[in-house]
Amino acid sequence: MGDSHTWTAAPAAAERARSVLAAAWSCAVTAEGGREEFVGAHGVADDGRVLLHVPEGSALLAAAVCAPRGEPSAVLEFADVAPVPVRGRIRARLWLAGWFAPEDGHLAFRPTRVVLRQPSGAVVVDLDEFAAAAPDPLVLAEARLLTHLADCHGDAVERLTRLVDADSLHGAVRVRPLAVDRHGLTLRIERVRAHGDVRLPFHRPADDIAQLTERMHVLLAQAGAASCPRTLQRQRADGDG
């Protein structure tokens, strides 16, 4: 079981869904012709339509051509995978139900239902909000930022645990950066048989890398002024952390 906590300054569901869609490299499509996996084959229009480029031999393309109205129904699934190796790397799943239509050499998918599932539960995203939302401005840089933080600045990650409630760190054997967006940084706290996530919100949103750097410096300054959690102190003394 993960930790129960209140997510402060987190992205709205529509923004989170658009971020998953923007960052995903692959998608699974279930349609009348069966289920197919596509890698590096989709793009996203400003209004949230998914533009899918499929090979000529695809069963999905055949279904689109043969459909009575040229609009076969389908369900698209996208997975949001943490770029840093952690236990339970799937951070969210996004399902889009809707219709395909041939358009300018590709298939255009217009969603009629959007469902986002995160550890906190599943939510049906309002279609108008989904169409109007923009992905997080840091989403395409997130993987690089998190892997750099994990690989090169482990001391900074440890320092940030000073901002985490001691109860959430009880039994912790490893803490890794799990996610970052314009609203804050999420840490994954791993124990021997369980894990939980803790959100460290920024004092204001970061809309680019320069602003993110400043927000991280503020968090580290706050952590530097905080006392080291007793749980981690005992772990270091015992050689467990």
Side-chain angles (χ1 to χ4, degrees):
M1 299 270 312
D3 293 333
S4 60
H5 58 272
T6 300
W7 288 80
T8 304
E15 179 183 344
R16 184 74 180 92
R18 290 296 296 266
S19 296
V20 172
L21 191 57
W25 180 243
S26 65
C27 71
V29 180
T30 302
E32 299 166 4
R35 181 181 174 90
E36 293 184 77
E37 302 276 347
F38 296 95
V39 178
H42 75 275
V44 185
D46 290 341
D47 61 359
R49 287 177 300 124
V50 179
L51 309 178
L52 190 64
H53 299 269
V54 298
E56 292 185 2
S58 167
L60 181 61
L61 181 60
V65 172
C66 297
R69 294 182 302 165
E71 296 181 346
S73 61
V75 175
L76 276 58
E77 179 181 349
F78 301 86
D80 176 32
V81 183
V84 174
V86 292
R87 184 187 299 132
R89 291 185 72 172
I90 303 298
R91 302 181 299 188
R93 291 189 184 276
L94 178 67
W95 288 275
L96 306 179
W99 301 87
F100 272 113
E103 181 181 298
D104 297 331
H106 56 256
L107 294 178
F109 180 84
R110 186 176 298 278
T112 57
R113 183 177 174 84
V114 177
V115 178
L116 175 69
R117 177 177 290 278
Q118 301 182 100
S120 56
V123 59
V124 177
V125 181
D126 181 85
L127 290 176
D128 290 335
E129 294 179 2
F130 178 77
D136 186 271
L138 304 175
V139 66
L140 297 182
E142 184 195 24
R144 172 175 55 84
L145 294 168
L146 287 182
T147 53
H148 178 74
L149 179 61
D151 295 343
C152 303
H153 299 285
D155 56 333
V157 175
E158 181 176 347
R159 195 186 320 162
L160 288 170
T161 62
R162 299 180 183 183
L163 300 176
V164 178
D165 184 88
D167 290 341
S168 295
L169 291 171
H170 181 72
V173 296
R174 187 172 74 159
V175 179
R176 302 278 275 173
L178 177 71
V180 68
D181 54 60
R182 68 190 183 101
H183 301 285
L185 174 72
T186 302
L187 300 178
R188 166 63 54 84
I189 300 173
E190 296 185 346
R191 305 178 183 85
V192 175
R193 294 184 178 87
H195 61 268
D197 302 334
V198 174
R199 182 84 168 172
L200 301 180
F202 299 142
H203 63 283
R204 63 171 61 93
D207 293 327
D208 55 38
I209 302 298
Q211 291 182 4
L212 174 65
T213 300
E214 187 273 337
R215 306 301 187 263
M216 289 295 298
H217 285 163
V218 170
L219 284 182
L220 288 168
Q222 293 172 345
S227 59
C228 185
R230 293 180 181 178
T231 301
L232 292 189
Q233 286 179 329
R234 287 198 301 270
Q235 288 174 348
R236 284 198 292 269
D238 295 339
D240 297 330

